Amino acid sequence: MRVLLACGLWLIASSLLSSCGIYSFTGTNIDPTVRTISIATIQNNSPQGPAFLTQRFTEDLKDYFQRNTNLKIVPRDGDLQFDGNIVAYDFAPASIQQVNGVSQAGSNRLTIQVKIRFTNTKDDKQSFEQVFQNFDDYPANRNIATINSDPTAVRTTTDKIITDIFNKSVANW
């Protein structure tokens, strides 16, 4: 009898959590009236950066939302709307060390900044405009050309930015 009662209570609790529509086990906090998302091409307005950066960042952002939400991606006028641009793509020494009396980079840092405008058409209080930034350090023997030609190097930095954008927009972190 206790097992039956426990199972019944569990079923009631789980149906209440799933029927409220706002809570999700993926960590999102999306209003149930929000059904679509539009993501404009995120242009590279920085003077540096590989040619593929615009396309890859935009597609990776779309893919992340498709994997982690049930929202339908539409070309424009989604319930949630993203647009923005890459404002900085910097590669600079991260630490200086002395080698035989000469100052050299001990490591190099790739820093990327992306300015995002997020519009929530269902709840404008959640809309924002913000610059998201992240970086990765590389050994001194790797220059910007080797980083840009490595298919995973730039993506490690942009993936962290995309996660931050997702968390700020739909996970409310």
Side-chain angles (χ1 to χ4, degrees):
M1 183 66 176
R2 286 184 184 184
V3 171
L4 187 58
L5 181 61
C7 288
L9 289 175
W10 182 82
L11 284 172
I12 291 170
S14 64
S15 68
L16 288 174
L17 279 176
S18 64
S19 67
C20 74
I22 294 178
Y23 181 78
S24 130
F25 290 105
T26 63
T28 60
N29 189 13
I30 301 172
D31 186 294
T33 62
V34 172
R35 301 193 191 291
T36 60
I37 183 172
S38 56
I39 299 174
T41 300
I42 308 299
Q43 296 294 329
N44 182 8
N45 290 347
S46 72
Q48 295 86 20
F52 63 79
L53 191 57
T54 292
Q55 183 69 26
R56 180 180 290 164
F57 189 88
T58 304
E59 291 306 314
D60 286 352
L61 184 60
K62 288 177 182 180
D63 289 346
Y64 195 90
F65 274 88
Q66 283 184 313
R67 281 192 319 269
N68 293 289
T69 70
N70 291 326
L71 300 174
K72 179 182 179 195
I73 293 185
V74 295
R76 61 180 128 359
D77 301 325
D79 297 327
L80 304 181
Q81 302 169 9
F82 290 88
D83 70 282
N85 51 54
I86 299 162
V87 295
Y89 186 94
D90 298 315
F91 192 75
S95 65
I96 304 298
Q97 62 186 18
Q98 293 291 325
V99 177
N100 297 326
V102 177
S103 296
Q104 293 181 343
S107 64
N108 292 311
R109 176 170 289 173
L110 173 63
T111 304
I112 301 174
Q113 294 179 342
V114 181
K115 184 176 185 178
I116 293 292
R117 284 172 296 284
F118 169 69
T119 304
N120 183 329
T121 62
K122 304 292 185 179
D123 183 2
D124 193 50
K125 291 181 288 194
Q126 292 185 6
S127 298
F128 63 82
E129 185 171 323
Q130 179 177 330
V131 174
F132 293 87
Q133 172 181 304
N134 222 303
F135 66 89
D136 280 293
D137 291 337
Y138 297 92
N141 64 348
R142 294 204 58 197
N143 61 30
I144 190 62
T146 63
I147 301 299
N148 288 345
S149 64
D150 180 345
T152 59
V154 175
R155 188 169 264 153
T156 61
T157 307
T158 58
D159 283 351
K160 290 187 270 186
I161 294 171
I162 288 169
T163 300
D164 291 344
I165 292 167
F166 180 86
N167 288 339
K168 171 81 179 195
S169 60
V170 298
N172 294 326
W173 289 14

